[in-house]
Amino acid sequence: MVWTPATGEGKPSHRLTPRQFESLTQAGGDEDALDELVRAEHSHRVLLLDVLMDTLAPLDRVAGPLPSPGRAWDLLAAAQRHAPEAVQELLDLPETGLWAGQLLNRLCRPRPHELPLWADVGHLHCLAATAALRAGLEFSFTLPCLAGRVDLPGLGQAGLWARTTQDVAVLAVRGGTATVTSSTGSVRVPDEPARSGPGWLPLHRAEVCLPGAAPLRIFIDDLGRHRIASPPIGAARRLSREETAGLTQLVQSGCEVLVDADPTSAATVATLLRTVQPMSAHEAFRVRSASSGHGVGGLALSRPESGLACAATLVHELQHSKLNALSHLFPLVEERPDSGRLYYAPWRDDPRPLSGMLQGIYAFTGVARFWHGRTQLREGERDRLAWFEFALWHGQLAHVLPQVAVDPELTPAGLRLIEGVRGTVAGWSAVSPGGGAAREAVRLARRLAADHRVLWRLHHVRPLAEDVERLAGAWLGGAEATLPTRRQSLRAERRQRHLDTRAVLARLALVDPVALDKLRENADEDGVPGVTGATLADLAWAAGAPGTAEQHYRHTLAEGSAAPAAWAGLRLVLEDTGHAPLALRALTAVPEVVSAVAHHLHRQTGTPADPVELAQWAGRAIDDEA
């Protein structure tokens, strides 16, 4: 029996075979596993709507000036009886899941909201009316008109002049003609809704051709209110025809790259991708992107600088979609709110809980697989960026996986997932570059992985105040350092710190040294235009001038600054020069202790300690094995 919204009967159950689950735990997923995820996600979406209807049922006047949610549900059921494929496509839209999940959260955790509840509930009416329109039914139904716009999901938007920001309009279909009418006017929906018309903006449809597969039809959603990324960076802005064509071409180029380098991810794109939401522009090698647990199959991204960058972003976000769909079938984590356990996440500026770590690990295992595939192509030896990215993410995954694998809050399914990922990552350990340029890129990646870890510690790990005071006293008294053995505190802040700044500059140096030179011409003491967080010292280091970089870093620290970027940068140049190995050891193992003691000494004496001498002093207390 086919399940319908009208009866709720015949709800399917879903399961993965051991082989399918195993293929997904290896961060890939064979065709059967991906198809089953898609089917299961559709059932999850229907269940979400079922729960939503049960939650709305006992609430009085929850639809305000609109028909009751039950009437909208009945219209949706009528549409499904006539055109089940059209209804399934609407329910499977990522935006439908986003809306349902956000509305359920709003109903369960009430708090002040800019949008009236009836207008939020009214998206159900928009879905039902759109389904009925697509099914060829004749009807008249009242819909929310917000800021003069009426959304028909998967089709487009009718624009009406409105006296208020929250109003209503009526979609009426008679004799095959659809008209949206409000108290201020009307808009006729074109017979082909994909075409523009007076007052009508169609949702952009893009067709991406994957070699050896049927064309992939996706939406470029610059209209809908339900955004994957929050405003302002995720706010909808209508793209021009040229912008839409450019973004579509980048997705096309990214898919072509994937077919050659990572067929597994190309298959994932072909199976899962439904919607791309544009985000505001960002900097080179810093593509903004996002996905959502309720919006499987959708992603938001700023315009990538190349098809290669787009390919990596598609892999990253669709890995999240796969894991979100998998977690709807199997709980992966039993997180306890009081555990307080946070981890170092090499792909983030902030510490992350276990659930966030699983998301990052799964996503970047896919990213590493993609870059590994690039290194194995015929031109791979010359592709220094591919070797850099693969070595960076492979090394960072190998660093964090052993810690996460023993977390007691992992469920049996979560443990199997981590074991599968660990096997995949371990299988890459024997991969080594042949050419000198590739070897240098791998070495650079390993150095910048360490740089990120050091920066993270400087931002988040805090030695106890009494330990800092004791060490400062030992320094002033000419005694040997004895480093703290007690647990240091972890301070998690969510503000952006740009811990990837030097990695961004390193990427630029690998692919476009001329652009790096231009940055140096335009940079000043206030910063580096185009690379937020970068300094003159960072530019000098990236350009291969460690001596100049050291002078800048020392100058910053001589002012008594506890700037994490300067301490971590000093560590990098000490690694370049090799003239202070004990200082390098301290700034790698306990950078936060050295920084805190230096800051304390400057406050206490008014005179900054020499940062290298202080780090050398601390380094003598660290065992060789540390």
Side-chain angles (χ1 to χ4, degrees):
M1 180 182 293
V2 177
W3 179 86
T4 70
T7 66
E9 295 176 351
K11 293 181 183 178
S13 61
H14 298 275
R15 65 186 64 192
L16 295 172
T17 66
R19 178 186 57 78
Q20 289 170 338
F21 188 88
E22 182 69 19
S23 75
L24 288 165
T25 65
Q26 294 168 359
D30 57 28
E31 183 178 351
D32 289 346
L34 292 174
D35 288 343
E36 185 60 27
L37 277 187
V38 169
R39 289 189 290 269
E41 189 58 26
H42 174 73
S43 294
H44 177 267
R45 188 69 51 79
V46 171
L47 180 61
L48 192 64
L49 291 175
D50 231 0
V51 174
L52 179 59
M53 292 302 296
D54 288 344
T55 307
L56 290 171
L59 302 179
D60 292 331
R61 305 188 64 183
V62 71
L66 303 174
S68 70
R71 285 184 60 194
W73 193 252
D74 291 342
L75 183 61
L76 184 64
Q80 189 188 50
R81 286 192 293 271
H82 287 81
E85 296 84 2
V87 174
Q88 177 167 340
E89 184 179 315
L90 279 172
L91 296 189
D92 288 350
L93 284 174
E95 295 74 23
T96 301
L98 284 170
W99 159 74
Q102 290 165 0
L103 179 55
L104 266 175
N105 187 62
R106 177 177 181 173
L107 292 169
C108 296
R109 301 176 181 84
R111 64 175 187 269
H113 203 285
E114 290 182 7
L115 190 68
L117 180 58
W118 68 263
D120 210 351
V121 171
H123 190 73
L124 173 65
H125 299 64
C126 295
L127 283 167
T130 304
L133 171 61
R134 292 186 59 185
L137 304 182
E138 293 203 345
F139 66 96
S140 177
F141 209 64
T142 304
L143 307 176
C145 179
L146 306 177
R149 300 178 301 174
V150 176
D151 289 317
L152 300 184
L155 294 181
Q157 189 178 85
L160 296 155
W161 184 81
R163 294 190 179 93
T164 61
T165 55
Q166 289 106 28
D167 203 348
V168 296
V170 175
L171 173 63
V173 182
R174 294 287 183 268
T177 299
T179 306
V180 181
T181 304
S182 73
S183 60
T184 61
S186 64
V187 171
R188 183 178 184 277
V189 180
D191 294 337
E192 296 183 36
R195 295 182 178 274
S196 298
W200 174 255
L201 291 176
L203 193 61
H204 297 302
R205 292 171 179 262
E207 187 171 282
V208 176
C209 298
L210 290 161
L216 172 64
R217 294 178 175 86
I218 61 174
F219 292 116
I220 307 292
D221 179 12
D222 58 0
L223 289 176
R225 290 187 301 107
H226 301 100
R227 314 307 294 172
I228 294 170
S230 302
I233 60 172
R237 175 185 70 80
R238 186 66 172 174
L239 299 183
S240 68
R241 182 178 300 178
E242 292 74 18
E243 288 173 320
T244 303
L247 183 54
T248 301
Q249 183 54 49
L250 280 167
V251 174
Q252 173 70 51
S253 299
C255 288
E256 291 170 359
V257 168
L258 290 177
V259 168
D260 289 337
D262 187 5
T264 297
S265 290
T268 300
V269 171
T271 304
L272 286 184
L273 183 61
R274 289 187 172 82
T275 299
V276 173
Q277 293 184 353
M279 295 168 69
S280 58
H282 204 37
E283 301 168 351
F285 299 109
R286 279 177 170 163
V287 177
R288 284 192 177 113
S289 67
S291 52
S292 168
H294 286 303
V296 169
L299 60 90
L301 81 166
S302 61
R303 184 183 173 94
E305 63 267 18
S306 65
L308 190 64
C310 189
T313 305
L314 289 172
V315 173
H316 180 169
E317 296 304 340
L318 288 175
Q319 285 287 110
H320 285 308
S321 269
K322 274 193 294 189
L323 190 63
N324 286 326
L326 185 64
S327 66
H328 293 157
L329 283 172
F330 305 95
L332 304 173
V333 173
E334 292 177 352
E335 234 168 13
R336 294 184 291 272
D338 59 345
S339 74
R341 188 181 294 106
L342 294 171
Y343 289 95
Y344 164 63
W347 34 83
R348 297 276 301 211
D349 283 355
D350 55 336
R352 300 293 286 160
L354 177 60
S355 57
M357 286 301 293
L358 285 191
Q359 286 285 347
I361 285 169
Y362 198 74
F364 278 92
T365 302
V367 171
R369 182 187 61 237
F370 161 65
W371 288 112
H372 172 256
R374 289 283 298 179
T375 67
Q376 302 306 298
L377 298 178
R378 185 169 53 189
E379 69 276 13
E381 280 299 320
R382 299 191 302 274
D383 194 342
R384 296 192 299 165
L385 181 65
W387 280 107
F388 174 86
E389 299 288 1
F390 168 64
L392 178 67
W393 299 120
H394 176 230
Q396 294 287 44
L397 286 163
H399 178 79
V400 299
L401 274 166
Q403 304 162 48
V404 175
V406 296
D407 193 300
E409 294 176 15
L410 286 171
T411 65
L415 280 169
R416 287 172 62 195
L417 175 79
I418 288 296
E419 288 168 3
V421 169
R422 289 186 79 179
T424 298
V425 172
W428 292 326
S429 297
V431 175
S432 59
R439 284 198 302 273
E440 185 58 32
V442 169
R443 177 176 173 271
L444 181 62
R446 290 169 179 162
R447 295 185 63 198
L448 284 164
D451 182 54
H452 190 279
R453 292 195 288 269
V454 167
L455 269 168
W456 188 90
R457 289 186 67 92
L458 285 160
H459 275 287
H460 296 295
V461 181
R462 293 290 177 270
L464 300 179
E466 53 266 37
D467 289 330
V468 173
E469 188 173 352
R470 174 181 56 77
L471 281 165
W475 167 266
L476 292 172
E480 291 296 318
T482 54
L483 295 181
T485 57
R486 285 174 290 179
R487 187 175 185 274
Q488 303 183 104
S489 63
L490 185 67
R491 186 179 69 182
E493 295 179 355
R494 295 191 61 82
R495 65 184 177 87
Q496 226 175 0
R497 298 169 191 81
H498 307 292
L499 305 190
D500 65 339
T501 294
R502 281 187 284 265
V504 169
L505 293 174
R507 292 178 175 103
L508 198 58
L510 286 172
V511 303
D512 194 355
V514 174
L516 191 67
D517 291 337
K518 289 180 180 177
L519 283 180
R520 297 182 75 185
E521 293 171 6
N522 297 322
D524 55 32
E525 295 292 344
D526 293 327
V528 180
V531 186
T532 304
T535 64
L536 290 173
D538 298 328
L539 269 179
W541 174 81
T548 303
E550 183 173 356
Q551 291 175 12
H552 283 297
Y553 291 133
R554 280 179 172 270
H555 176 73
T556 300
L557 297 173
E559 296 175 342
S561 170
W567 282 106
L570 179 63
R571 176 200 162 276
L572 270 177
V573 296
L574 291 179
E575 191 175 13
D576 283 321
T577 60
H579 74 257
L582 292 176
L584 176 63
R585 180 186 297 177
L587 290 175
T588 300
V590 286
E592 69 284 353
V593 172
V594 178
S595 172
V597 172
H599 195 55
H600 183 88
L601 286 169
H602 188 261
R603 288 201 320 268
Q604 183 177 353
T605 67
T607 303
D610 182 280
V612 176
E613 289 182 9
L614 182 65
Q616 284 274 92
W617 174 76
R620 295 190 190 98
I622 301 175
D623 294 335
D624 290 338
E625 293 78 16

